Amino acid sequence: MAGKSAESLAEFAARHGLTQSAARPPLRSYVRQLWQRRTFIWNFASAKSMSMYTSSRLGQVWQVLTPLLNAGVYFLIFGVLLGTNKGVTNYTAFLITGVFVFTFTQRSLTAGAKSIGNHLSLIRALHFPRASLPFAYVIVELQQLLVSMAVLAVLVLVTGEPLSPHWLLVVPALVLQLVFNVGISLVIARMGAFVRDIQQLLPFMTRAWLYFSGIFFMTAALAERETLREYPWIGELLQANPASVYIELVRTALIESYRGDLAAHHWGYAHLWWYALAWALVAFIGGFWYFYRAEDRYGRG
């Protein structure tokens, strides 16, 4: 008593049946708590999405205008000046689809890195599954993607591509990409929570990923170049790149002429579904476990 007791705080807590309020719950309980907060996650994401462009005059128009402007710049550089459009019949639809789909992953990754560090006051004030924050930020990007995909569908039709049943394959492709994005966002969220320098390095990492994801060139055509014929594993690596996988799935679903371009190179795309499924499962399961293991450390210090 009076500060002279030899009993430790842990022993005192055990004697009185006290438990640590921020202790990591069992995995099954954690998943159940996360599911119970699904409404909070969606509403938090919706509010975040609506407030994102409130300070600009064009508001939500920037959701679509930003990737369109990027696609315009890339078309000028890679399509007109460098001529990387060789072998692609409808390069405009090819490029815009690649930019829109990659932007979903890029923005999810960037938002995930900030999801914990930018909400320390909320984390320290309330007890809730911390994974709710990375989930919510990916939902923000999903909501913006849905608007972008509506615009993309119109643009693809304007470039001369017909509406076909293949377009329905866009839905499972984007669902698998969503699962993948959640997984990598959970990984980068944990890293960003303890190493804030990740946010400074991430733009360089995503830019390098952008150039290796077949957005500006046809991966199948690149693999057949003489400079790479002696190194077939490079072509396989480019095709297995998760960003490239999801881009190619959406392209082959929306752009009929592109399916013909691939057939001219004797290149099938059915195996891409296996890549997409594998990447989604590995990223989500591994990312969720990795994030969950540090649940009781977020917001400390």
Side-chain angles (χ1 to χ4, degrees), residues 93-111:
F94 173 91
L95 179 63
I96 294 175
T97 303
V99 171
F100 274 47
V101 176
F102 182 81
T103 299
F104 180 34
T105 295
Q106 182 185 38
R107 289 175 61 96
S108 297
L109 195 62
T110 303

Side-chain angles (χ1 to χ4, degrees), residues 90 92-95 97 156 161-162 167 250-261:
N90 188 349
T92 303
F94 173 91
L95 179 63
T97 303
V156 170
E161 298 296 332
W167 283 36
V250 176
R251 279 173 176 162
T252 53
L254 292 178
I255 310 174
E256 182 177 306
S257 61
Y258 185 60
R259 296 194 295 271
D261 296 335

